[in-house]
Amino acid sequence: MPKPGELTFVAPRGAKKPPRHLADLTPAERKDAVAAIGEKPFRAKQLSQHYFARFAHDPAEWTDIPAASRERLAGELLPELMTVVRHISCDDDTTRKTLWRLHDGTLVESVLMRYPDRVTMCISSQAGCGMNCPFCATGQAGLDRNLSTAEIVHQIVEGMRDLRDGAFGGSAGPSPEGADGPGGPARLSNIVFMGMGEPLANYNRVVGAIRRLTDPEPDGLGLSQRGITVSTVGLVPAMLRFADEGFKCRLAVSLHAPDDELRDTLVPVNTRWKVREVLDAAWEYGEKSGRRISIEYALIRDINDQAWRGDLLGRLLKGRRVHVNLIPLNPTPGSKWTASRPEDEKAFIEAIAAHGVPVTVRDTRGQEIDGACGQLAAAER
Ligand code: SAH
C-alpha cells in the first residue's frame, strides 16, 4: 500500500535518477556526505554558506576551502543539475519564463514575475504531470518524472541569484522595496508551486524543498513559509498529511467546478476524491496552519462560468476563511475552449460575492510567452 501522498497515478517513464546534490540533504546528512569523501565535516557548513547564502556555484570562489578540496567537494555535492535552454521575457521585461534542461534531457519551466511591491517565482515540482486536466498544457503530455528536492530548490536559487545581480528585470516601473532602482537588484518574496506538476503527488521531495527554502541561512535559503503557496488538484490524503507538517504555507486548491459532475471531467482526480472531501481537507489545513485557503477557478467560456455555478460555489465557501482566485482560461494550442465573455465573468463574480466570499481575478502575466502551465515545454518537444 502506498503511503498517503506517495500515490502515483501514472507511472513515470523510467528516467535516470538525478544526481545527488547538497540541496537534497539535511544539514546532518551533508556532514556525513562530506566526511564520507574524507573531508572535514565543517566543510558541509562552508558549502551550504556558498550555495544557500551566496549562490556561489563556482568552486574558484570558495576561497575559504583549500583548492585541492574544492573540485572534490563540488563533484560530490554540487553536480550540475540543469542548464538554461532559453529565457523569454515580456510585460516590459517584468516577466521572465525559463525553460530548463535537466541532466537526462527532461524539460521543465519556471517563471519570475516582478511587481511593484513583490517578486514571485512560479516553479515546477514534476516534469510533466499525471493529473490529466484537459485544459492544461502540462496535463496533455503526461508525467515524465518527479523532480528531486534539489531540482526544485535549484530553480529558485538561480532565480534569486539573477535577482540579486540585477540580471533580470523591469526596465519599467518602480522596484520592490529594498531595490536600488528600477530594474535593479531585488529580493524574492513569494514562491508558488504552480508550474509543471502536482506538488502533492511528489510529496516527500516537495516537503524537503520547502524545508530547504525556509530553513535559516546557511542551512537553507531563509525564505518565509508565509510567502510559499502549494497548489493542488485535491489529493485528499496528501492534503491531510500536509496539514500535519506544521507549515505556515498557503494552500491553493484548483477547484474549477463546484459540482462533481463537471469537476469529474475538468479535474479527473475528482472521480476519486469529491468536491466535498477536497474542501473538508482544505478547511482542516486552514485550521492547522491558520492560513486562509485559496480556491483557484479557471473560467472557461460556457463550460464552468454560469452564474448558477458561481452561486453554488459561493454557497459551498460561505463563512469560511477563503479567497477565490478566478483565472481567465489561457487557451492551450488546439484547444476548443477559451476564456469567458466579460459579462459572464462579471455575473459569476457577483454570484460569489453575494455570499460575502472574497473573490478576485488573477492578472494574466506572460500570455505572449506561452505563459500557461506547460506550454513552453510542449512547444520545445
Ligand atoms: N497541479 C497543481 C499546480 C499546477 S497548475 C494544480 O493543479 O493546482 C497551477 C494552476 O494553473 C492550477 O489551478 C491549474 O488548474 C491552472 N491552469 C492550468 N492550465 C491552465 C490554463 N490553460 N488556463 C488557466 N489556468 C490553468
Side-chain angles (χ1 to χ4, degrees):
M1 240 303 272
K3 274 193 269 155
E6 291 301 289
L7 300 166
T8 308
F9 294 83
V10 177
R13 290 193 277 260
K16 276 180 290 168
K17 245 179 117 156
R20 183 187 66 166
H21 185 278
L22 189 79
D24 288 313
L25 307 178
T26 63
E29 290 168 343
R30 290 172 213 168
K31 272 193 196 159
D32 293 344
V34 166
I37 56 166
E39 293 287 344
K40 302 236 166 48
F42 69 84
R43 301 269 177 239
K45 199 113 192 161
Q46 290 177 312
L47 276 185
S48 298
Q49 181 78 30
H50 290 304
Y51 182 75
F52 289 107
R54 299 183 51 226
F55 318 136
H57 306 342
D58 180 1
E61 294 175 49
W62 306 345
T63 49
D64 54 349
I65 300 177
S69 298
R70 287 179 207 160
E71 291 302 327
R72 194 143 40 116
L73 285 165
E76 193 66 22
L77 281 162
L78 289 170
E80 184 171 82
L81 291 171
M82 56 185 75
T83 51
V84 175
V85 177
R86 79 178 72 93
H87 295 297
I88 303 177
S89 297
C90 71
D91 302 324
D92 252 337
D93 201 25
T94 56
T95 303
R96 184 183 80 174
K97 184 153 185 163
T98 304
L99 181 65
W100 302 98
R101 190 185 308 280
L102 307 181
H103 79 287
D104 58 356
T106 305
L107 299 171
V108 294
E109 309 169 359
S110 63
V111 187
L112 263 174
M113 290 159 282
R114 223 174 145 140
Y115 299 88
D117 60 338
R118 66 186 194 280
V119 183
T120 299
M121 188 166 193
C122 176
I123 54 162
S124 296
S125 57
Q126 298 181 306
C129 185
M131 297 298 117
N132 209 21
C133 304
F135 56 89
C136 172
T138 306
Q140 303 322 294
L143 179 66
D144 280 320
R145 67 170 170 86
N146 285 325
L147 300 192
S148 66
T149 291
E151 285 171 332
I152 298 170
V153 172
H154 198 69
Q155 297 168 56
I156 295 148
V157 169
E158 290 287 320
M160 289 176 79
R161 187 164 66 149
D162 281 355
L163 284 167
R164 178 197 65 189
D165 297 346
F168 150 70
S171 48
S175 299
E177 215 182 307
D180 288 335
R187 268 211 296 275
L188 186 64
S189 42
N190 298 80
I191 292 167
V192 295
F193 282 85
M194 292 189 183
M196 301 172 93
E198 166 52 43
L200 295 187
N202 187 15
Y203 190 91
N204 289 340
R205 295 171 192 97
V206 165
V207 164
I210 293 172
R211 297 201 196 287
R212 295 304 107 71
L213 300 178
T214 59
D215 276 351
E217 288 178 11
D219 290 343
L221 291 168
L223 297 167
S224 154
Q225 289 183 1
R226 305 185 71 81
I228 297 178
T229 300
V230 173
S231 180
T232 181
V233 289
L235 306 185
V236 167
M239 289 167 77
L240 296 175
R241 191 175 164 198
F242 195 60
D244 285 329
E245 300 286 348
F247 289 137
K248 297 269 176 276
C249 303
R250 185 185 291 282
L251 184 70
V253 176
S254 298
L255 203 64
H256 306 314
D259 53 308
D260 287 320
E261 192 183 353
L262 179 59
R263 194 166 191 266
D264 281 350
T265 66
L266 293 181
V267 185
V269 77
N270 195 71
T271 55
R272 195 144 167 194
W273 293 293
K274 298 298 177 191
V275 169
R276 163 88 39 202
E277 294 172 86
V278 170
L279 289 179
D280 282 346
W283 308 144
E284 176 152 347
Y285 182 84
E287 285 278 307
K288 289 190 171 155
S289 63
R291 297 298 307 268
R292 199 175 1 171
I293 300 296
S294 283
I295 300 292
E296 310 287 300
Y297 199 109
L299 277 174
I300 313 175
R301 183 182 296 188
D302 297 329
I303 300 290
N304 65 352
D305 63 352
Q306 304 82 356
W308 71 264
R309 282 204 160 91
D311 178 62
L312 180 56
L313 182 62
R315 274 189 279 145
L316 290 176
L317 305 183
K318 189 181 175 152
R320 303 286 185 173
R321 293 193 63 220
V322 70
H323 174 266
V324 178
N325 223 330
L326 298 175
I327 318 166
L329 185 81
N330 193 343
T332 58
S335 163
K336 54 186 185 299
W337 289 337
T338 188
S340 299
R341 296 172 200 88
E343 61 271 27
D344 294 338
E345 180 181 295
K346 188 164 171 280
F348 194 85
I349 292 171
E350 284 167 1
I352 297 170
H355 294 279
V357 174
V359 48
T360 49
V361 180
R362 177 178 310 158
D363 96 316
T364 48
R365 284 267 185 123
Q367 295 225 317
E368 68 267 41
I369 53 170
D370 292 335
C373 182
Q375 289 188 10
L376 202 58
E380 180 78 13
R381 269 196 290 269

